């Protein structure tokens, strides 16, 4: 097996481990993810396990996706239904199936931090607060309270446990043993008796109040059919403990459990693992105690530290062969992290964790000390440019890793000044991006015409091109006449000095405002947003910018569009007013909008991010700036509301835990570097006091040089970035993507590269509604579990009842799934609704007549290979065709043209045939398009020459996409049905 032969000795041992617990201590850059994915593939291919008998858990969706992709490439053909996910996604999947078994609604809603904040804020009167009563704006208090509840859930502390503890304090306040358990001041014993009694009373009241608030919060969630992320794990544990048959079911299913980044687990996650793994304990955990840096998220380093105590029979594997960094960088990193001894696994288990490099280069480590922060930023940028010139490195080979986001500003300013391409990877800040501020202000304008600040922002929209002096004249006139700025726009001809060009631009814009105001009364905010973006010319403006600016801004719009759609789901009839209110409250709650990014794809740019954000990444050259006292390591901050120590379940680590965590974070930063590691510091950072060097540099033996690094002019020209930008290529393709490219490469670019939001279609809404209705109906009728491997290995059979559920059940499902989106008006919607019922009746009659045997519904494939490229897709339905063969069926809500298939339709089914045969190893007898209008079925089967021709065409298209060939291919037919015809200058109509 190649995955074994290509692994080193320690990796092989970990991959081929037999039964029982296993602890893999994997140092930075030693291939831990490869080992865990290789072990999954090994268990499937060599130990003949079904894929649904292995559970693999990690911490981020991205990590889970990467793990699944790696397993896919290691397996001989495409597998589906791999149980690889985050802890929260796994628990959500379990609870969706079994929530009702512990009294939870199975359609519960997940609330994020902002939604939880809103829930508490809107019901603050239910919380009986005295000690914690906020005197002013309750924003920070609510955040502190929610963080406290989240930490309680991480520790497995329920509201009932908290309340019981509070009651025990009240009952035992005169008992010295009870008082000893309380978190009282260090010099409590020295205080007079009266002061002691007063402090005890206050502490008892405080604990009782927060315990009651915790109970109130949990009741609020349940009353609103909601759970937060901490609930997912706590309720899953409750389910498994209280329902032994369900626990047995999952224990029997998951014969092996694997966990990546085990050092990042919290107390309840570890409890869940131990519960699921018992009694065989086939549990493999992979982690590194030196990279445990998420205590602020609830991670418990004690889990990995005591794994061997919990499982004394566990096998140990230590991975020390590093494939990332030079030996000099590894030696420097090791010399630093041993400062955390003896509170490290190396000491505790008596193992050797010193990393050995597999890289031949020598590597560079340097400390640069400057007089001021400004000098420090200049020299860092100069150093990046100099190294790039000398080595031929790409911009993306450099990373500036900061301890806090606020430290990035000085470096960003110089990168901007010298036009060096960079990417600032902050996790939040969507609502602060200029394009999103524009959209928010437009919404506020529609909601209230007298929002003069919003009107002023609109007048300055870049694509309108209104000159600054013209805006000044309009604003001056508005103030002079004591009228709102919007009112003054209606009387522009009376404003002295305003040109005809300005009047024309503003009148056109006002027409758009009028149109969108009317639309806002009837349609959802997403439709209003699309009307503004496309109708005003804003989207068109972005498509004319250089590639980098266009992609960046359109990414922000796409993310904001998705956020609006999420908010719309909370309302039966969402309107602009609702949206503005929610977004305002989110920002009041301190939420600046989540930003999504994939740091490992995209253009050639210098990366700036926090060290926490860089965990798991690597760069040739890493700069660690601001290494001075109180900036790194930071000062210890205690939690605003501390959990009583008597309630904490995890073992409290010994030593200065904050300093050790900061040291681990510094170690993580050091081990991101492959070839060059640069520490930078300055004497002055804007305050009155000069800064001392960070103790971390002192521990490494560095001192402030007598002569600081001289400040120099940066000797390079401004960089040209626009033409050199290359769009990232998808990791996986789909049939629809390639079909779009073949029709018009520019259409493909708009849809799949720039991802421009577009107006929906009632055709798509209707087709999706009917399709989803049939899927749900057949699933319910035959109790089909769409697990491909279950059928493949012959261990499970889908249960078959006597026949279809009654027609009334089909109509009921149709009503539940029905969507009103994108129909022209009420009559149009009603006509389609009636048509849908007719199609469903036709399907019902035909199915009862034919009585086919359905094998799979919505069967997905994720790793169908054409050449070196992976394709994904999902097949509507697969029926048993007899003799071990199958029929592939795809639904169409439209009418058939004389029972003949279009070339596009034939190609799509041919694509499904190839995927079924090659990725799923099914024997395909027939391909059928089922036109529900008139129940016309158009069958055929693809020949080998047809399949090879289609593959070749796909490969040609992919090569063109890789070469960034996005030329337009206009024609009346293509342009007439294109979602982007309104913004495309090449269209033919």
């Amino acid at each position: 097996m190649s995955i074994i032969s290509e692994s080193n000795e320690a990796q092989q041992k970990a991959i081929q481990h037999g039964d029982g617990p296993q602890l893999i201590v994997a140092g930075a850059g030693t291939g831990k993810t490869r080992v865990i994915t290789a072990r999954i593939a090994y268990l499937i291919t060599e130990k003949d396990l079904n894929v649904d008998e292995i559970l693999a858990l990690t911490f981020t969706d991205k990590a889970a996706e990467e793990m699944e992709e790696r397993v896919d490439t290691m397996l001989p053909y495409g597998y589906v239904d791999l149980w690889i996910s985050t802890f929260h996604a796994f628990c959500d999947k379990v609870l969706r199936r079994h929530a009702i078994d512990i009294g939870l609604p199975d359609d519960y809603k997940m609330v994020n931090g902002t939604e939880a904040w809103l829930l508490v804020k809107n019901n603050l009167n239910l919380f009986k607060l005295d000690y914690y009563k906020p005197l002013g704006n309750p924003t920070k208090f609510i955040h502190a309270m929610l963080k406290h509840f989240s930490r309680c859930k991480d520790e497995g502390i329920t509201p009932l446990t908290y309340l019981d503890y509070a009651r025990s304090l009240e009952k035992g306040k005169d008992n010295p043993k009870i008082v000893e358990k309380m978190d009282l001041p260090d010099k409590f014993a020295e205080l007079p008796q009266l002061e002691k009694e007063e402090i005890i009373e206050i502490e008892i009241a405080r604990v009782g109040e927060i315990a009651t608030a915790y109970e109130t919060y949990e009741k609020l969630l349940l009353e609103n059919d909601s759970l937060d992320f901490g609930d997912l794990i706590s309720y899953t544990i409750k389910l498994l403990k209280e329902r032994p048959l369900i626990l047995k079911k999952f224990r029997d299913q998951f014969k092996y459990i694997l966990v990546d980044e085990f050092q990042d687990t919290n107390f309840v996650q570890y409890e869940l693992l131990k519960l699921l793994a018992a009694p065989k304990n086939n549990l493999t955990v992979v982690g590194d105690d030196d990279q445990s840096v998420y205590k602020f998220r609830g991670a418990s380093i004690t889990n990995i530290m005591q794994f061997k105590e919990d499982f004394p029979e566990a096998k140990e594997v230590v991975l020390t062969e590093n494939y990332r960094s030079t030996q000099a960088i590894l030696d420097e990193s090791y010399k630093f992290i041993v400062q955390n001894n003896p509170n490290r696994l190396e000491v505790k288990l008596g193992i050797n964790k010193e990393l050995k490099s597999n890289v031949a280069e020598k590597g560079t480590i340097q400390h640069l000390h400057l007089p001021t922060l400004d000098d420090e930023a200049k020299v860092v940028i100069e150093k990046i440019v100099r190294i790039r010139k000398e080595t031929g490195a790409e911009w993306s080979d450099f990373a500036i890793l900061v301890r806090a986001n606020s430290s990035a500003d000085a470096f960003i300013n110089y990168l901007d000044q010298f036009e060096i391409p960079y990417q600032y990877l902050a996790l939040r800040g969507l609502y602060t991006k200029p394009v999103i501020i524009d959209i928010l202000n437009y919404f506020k304008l529609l909601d209230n015409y007298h929002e003069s600040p919003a009107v002023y922002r609109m007048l300055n929209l870049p694509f309108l091109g209104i000159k600054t002096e013209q805006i000044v004249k309009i604003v001056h006139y508005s103030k002079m006449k004591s009228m709102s700025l919007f009112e003054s726009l209606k009387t522009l001809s009376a404003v002295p000095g305003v040109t005809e060009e300005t009047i024309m631009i503003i009148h056109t814009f006002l027409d758009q405002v009028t149109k969108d105001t009317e639309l806002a009364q009837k349609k959802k905010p997403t439709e209003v947003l699309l009307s503004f973006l496309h109708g005003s010319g804003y989207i068109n403006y972005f498509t004319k910018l250089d590639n980098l600016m266009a992609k960046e801004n359109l990414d922000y719009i796409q993310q904001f569009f998705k956020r609006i759609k999420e908010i719309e789901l909370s309302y039966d009839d969402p309107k602009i007013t609702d949206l503005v209110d929610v977004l305002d409250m989110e920002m009041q709650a301190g939420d600046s909008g989540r930003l999504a990014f994939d740091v490992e794809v995209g253009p050639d740019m210098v990366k700036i991010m926090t060290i926490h954000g860089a965990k798991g990444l690597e760069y040739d050259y890493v700069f660690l700036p601001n290494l001075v006292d109180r900036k790194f390591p930071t000062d210890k901050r205690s939690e605003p509301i501390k959990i009583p120590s008597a309630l904490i379940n995890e073992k409290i680590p010994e030593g200065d835990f904050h300093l050790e965590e900061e040291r681990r974070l510094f170690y993580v930063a050091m081990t991101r570097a492959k070839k060059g590691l640069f520490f930078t510091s300055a004497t002055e950072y804007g305050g009155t006091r000069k800064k001392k060097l960070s103790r971390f540099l002192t521990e490494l033996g560095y001192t402030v040089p007598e002569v600081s690094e001289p400040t120099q002019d940066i000797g390079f020209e401004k960089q040209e970035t626009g033409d050199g930008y290359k769009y990232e290529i998808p990791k996986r393709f789909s049939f629809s993507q390639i079909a779009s490219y073949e029709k018009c490469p520019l259409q493909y670019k708009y849809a799949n590269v720039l991802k421009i939001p577009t107006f929906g279609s009632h055709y798509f809404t209707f087709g999706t509604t009917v399709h989803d209705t049939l899927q749900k109906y057949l699933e319910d009728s035959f109790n089909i579990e769409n697990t491909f491997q279950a059928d493949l290995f012959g261990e499970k059979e889908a249960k078959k009842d006597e026949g279809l559920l009654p027609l009334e059940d089909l109509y009921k499902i149709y009503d539940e799934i029905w969507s009103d989106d994108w129909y022209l008006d009420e009559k149009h919607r009603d006509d389609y609704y009636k048509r849908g019922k007719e199609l469903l009746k036709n399907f019902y009659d035909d199915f009862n007549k034919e009585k086919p045997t359905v094998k799979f519904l919505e069967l997905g494939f994720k790793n169908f290979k054409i050449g070196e490229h992976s394709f994904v897709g999902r097949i509507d339905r697969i029926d048993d065709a007899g003799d071990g063969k199958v029929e592939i069926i795809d639904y169409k809500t439209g009418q058939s043209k004389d029972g003949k298939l279009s070339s596009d339709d034939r190609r799509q089914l041919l694509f499904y045939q190839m995927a079924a045969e090659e990725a799923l190893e099914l024997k395909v007898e027939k391909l059928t398009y089922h036109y529900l209008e008139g129940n016309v079925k158009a069958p055929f089967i693809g020949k080998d020459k047809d399949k090879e021709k289609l593959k070749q065409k796909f490969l040609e298209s992919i090569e063109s996409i890789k070469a960034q060939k996005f030329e337009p291919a206009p024609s009346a037919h293509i342009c007439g049905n294109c979602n982007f015809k309104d913004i495309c200058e090449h269209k033919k109509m």
Side-chain angles (χ1 to χ4, degrees), residues 473-474 477 480-481 483 488-498 503 507:
K473 293 180 187 297
I474 298 170
Y477 179 82
M480 183 176 68
K481 296 296 184 181
M483 61 173 60
S488 68
L489 298 184
K490 296 180 178 180
T491 58
L492 281 179
S493 56
V495 179
V498 172
I503 292 173
H507 279 174

Side-chain angles (χ1 to χ4, degrees), residues 411-428:
F411 303 93
I412 288 173
N413 289 339
Y414 277 103
L415 289 166
D416 277 331
Q417 182 177 336
F418 291 95
E419 297 182 4
I420 294 175
Y422 72 90
Q423 191 175 20
Y424 177 40
L425 301 168
L427 293 175
R428 309 208 72 82

Side-chain angles (χ1 to χ4, degrees), residues 191-198:
L191 296 174
Q193 186 61 31
L194 288 176
E195 285 189 37
K196 287 182 181 179
E197 291 175 1
E198 184 179 4

Side-chain angles (χ1 to χ4, degrees), residues 222-349:
L222 293 176
E223 287 169 1
N224 286 272
D225 291 339
S226 299
L227 302 182
D228 63 21
F229 285 100
D231 287 329
L232 288 176
I233 296 174
S234 59
Y235 279 122
T236 300
I237 291 175
K238 177 181 172 69
L239 169 74
L240 298 178
K241 284 185 175 180
E242 295 183 1
R243 301 293 180 259
L245 289 179
I246 295 174
L247 174 60
K248 184 178 186 304
K249 168 191 168 183
F250 284 110
R251 281 179 172 174
D252 290 345
Q253 177 181 345
F254 299 126
K255 294 180 170 55
Y256 290 85
I257 299 174
L258 303 95
V259 185
D260 198 6
E261 304 286 8
F262 182 64
Q263 77 280 350
D264 294 334
T265 54
N266 60 36
F267 177 83
V268 291
Q269 288 166 340
Y270 190 23
E271 289 297 297
L272 175 66
L273 291 172
K274 289 187 284 189
L275 194 60
L276 284 170
K280 295 182 178 179
N281 295 324
N282 291 328
L283 174 63
T284 291
V285 300
V286 186
D288 180 11
D289 59 303
D290 291 332
Q291 297 185 73
S292 177
V293 294
Y294 288 120
K295 179 63 179 175
F296 69 96
R297 292 184 187 169
S300 173
I301 192 174
T302 55
N303 289 348
I304 194 169
M305 298 297 285
Q306 70 175 54
F307 186 81
K308 284 281 287 184
E309 293 179 21
D310 295 336
F311 300 98
E313 75 279 20
K315 300 296 183 183
E316 289 172 19
V317 178
V318 185
L319 304 182
T320 57
E321 188 169 353
N322 178 282
Y323 297 89
R324 175 189 299 161
S325 307
T326 65
Q327 191 62 51
I329 292 173
L330 296 180
D331 289 345
E332 189 87 340
S333 303
Y334 182 74
K335 181 175 77 171
F336 174 74
I337 197 60
V338 294
Q339 306 286 333
N340 272 356
N341 286 343
N343 298 320
R344 295 176 60 242
L345 271 180
E346 189 171 38
V347 176
K348 187 177 179 66
L349 299 182

Side-chain angles (χ1 to χ4, degrees), residues 443-558:
F443 283 166
K444 288 179 180 178
L445 170 61
L446 297 182
D447 188 42
N448 181 2
Y449 284 164
H450 296 288
E451 275 269 3
S452 287
V455 179
Y456 180 77
R457 179 86 188 189
M458 294 299 99
L459 292 176
N460 282 279
L461 286 171
F463 66 92
L464 291 181
I466 303 174
K467 295 177 181 178
T468 302
E469 63 268 21
Q470 293 285 291
I471 298 174
V472 170
K473 293 180 187 297
I474 298 170
V475 171
H476 178 73
Y477 179 82
S478 169
K479 290 181 178 179
M480 183 176 68
K481 296 296 184 181
S482 299
M483 61 173 60
S484 73
L485 190 52
F486 188 81
E487 288 175 322
S488 68
L489 298 184
K490 296 180 178 180
T491 58
L492 281 179
S493 56
V495 179
V498 172
T499 65
E500 285 297 323
E501 179 186 13
T502 299
I503 292 173
M504 187 184 306
I505 293 171
I506 291 178
H507 279 174
T508 302
F509 180 73
L510 289 177
D511 288 342
Q512 183 70 41
V513 172
T514 301
K515 173 187 173 184
D516 290 341
T517 301
E518 294 174 359
L519 196 66
Q521 305 304 312
K522 301 176 289 185
K523 299 292 185 180
K524 296 179 180 178
T526 44
E527 295 188 47
V528 180
L529 172 59
L530 290 172
S531 175
F532 166 61
L533 292 174
H534 288 267
S536 67
Y538 209 171
I539 284 289
N540 197 36
Y541 163 77
F542 283 126
T543 62
K544 300 296 187 294
L545 297 177
D546 66 62
N547 291 343
L548 176 57
M549 289 295 293
K551 184 71 168 69
E552 187 176 79
N553 281 283
L554 289 167
D555 276 347
Y556 295 147
I557 291 173
Q558 178 70 15

Side-chain angles (χ1 to χ4, degrees), residues 895-896 898-900 928-938:
Q895 288 184 326
S896 167
D898 302 323
K900 296 180 180 179
T928 302
Y929 257 118
H930 186 173
Y931 293 93
L932 298 174
E933 189 85 44
N935 263 323
V936 176
K937 298 174 184 176

